[in-house]
Structure formats: structure tokens, C-alpha cells
Amino acid sequence: MVKNIAIGTGRRKTSTARVFLRDGSGKIVVNGKDVTEYFNSEEQVRIVHQPLLVTNNENKFDILINVTGGGLKGQASACLHGLSRALLQVDPDCHASLKANGFLTRDSRMVERKKFGQRGARRRFQFSKR
């Protein structure tokens, strides 16, 4: 049986990522697929790798991520947040570098809700004076 060293939960917009850290060689699996296979953009793969690069843990852990909700960009940011929190459990000394890069702060920006009597959150129906 494989033992999880640390577990971190990351969120962004409507995406939630559960990150499990295990001893290993640096393999990242997202929803059963390799990270480069799951995230089609090179930028999104780089976003997920950032906490590992900052803390010099590229090839120390195998990472298993379950992510749901939202789009791929939000999911990548949720993975970054969750991975940062999991790394903090393993090594509390890396708090300063993760905090300095803003990886421990949850990005709380959400889509504003649609209001009644309007076409969208802020867009009104066309006004006719006459």
C-alpha cells in the first residue's frame, strides 16, 4: 500500500483540487492522466510545477491530484494552491518562499452572480425613453 505523506486542498473560482504527496521520483498524475496529457497548454503545466521549482522538490515526490469543476486554467491554479499547501505540511521551512510567490493565498475572485431584472451581473436591458 502507498502511503500519503501530505494532503492539500486547493481552490480557484469553482475548481477544487485534492493533492496527495507520496515518496517517489517526481511523477505528477492529474485525474488518472499524466500532467502534460491532462493540461493541453504548456503554460498550465508550468503553473502546476511552480511550487516544486520554488522549493527545490522537483524529483522528490510523486503527486496524485484529483481536480473537479471549472475550466482548465482554474483547475491548474487550484492544483498550484493545493500542492503548495501539501508541500508546507512536509517542510514548514519552505513557508517563506511559497508565501513570497503568493502560492499560499487563495485567489478569491469568483464570477459575480446575475441579478434579477437585468441581462447579466451588471448588464442592463436596453433602456427606451419613448
Side-chain angles (χ1 to χ4, degrees), residues 20-86:
F20 304 95
L21 246 60
R22 300 170 175 172
D23 280 321
S25 58
K27 199 170 84 172
I28 301 177
V29 178
V30 182
N31 290 353
K33 295 180 181 177
D34 187 59
V35 68
T36 52
E37 195 181 322
Y38 187 80
F39 293 113
N40 49 18
S41 161
E42 189 62 42
E43 180 197 358
Q44 291 164 356
V45 174
R46 205 174 319 111
I47 287 172
V48 176
H49 278 282
Q50 278 180 328
L52 296 171
L53 297 171
V54 167
T55 57
N56 296 322
N57 289 322
E58 291 101 289
N59 299 319
K60 289 184 185 174
F61 305 109
D62 279 346
I63 299 157
L64 178 70
I65 303 174
N66 294 331
V67 65
T68 56
L72 288 176
K73 181 110 182 197
Q75 286 186 352
S77 297
C79 292
L80 174 135
H81 188 226
L83 184 54
S84 300
R85 284 176 149 190

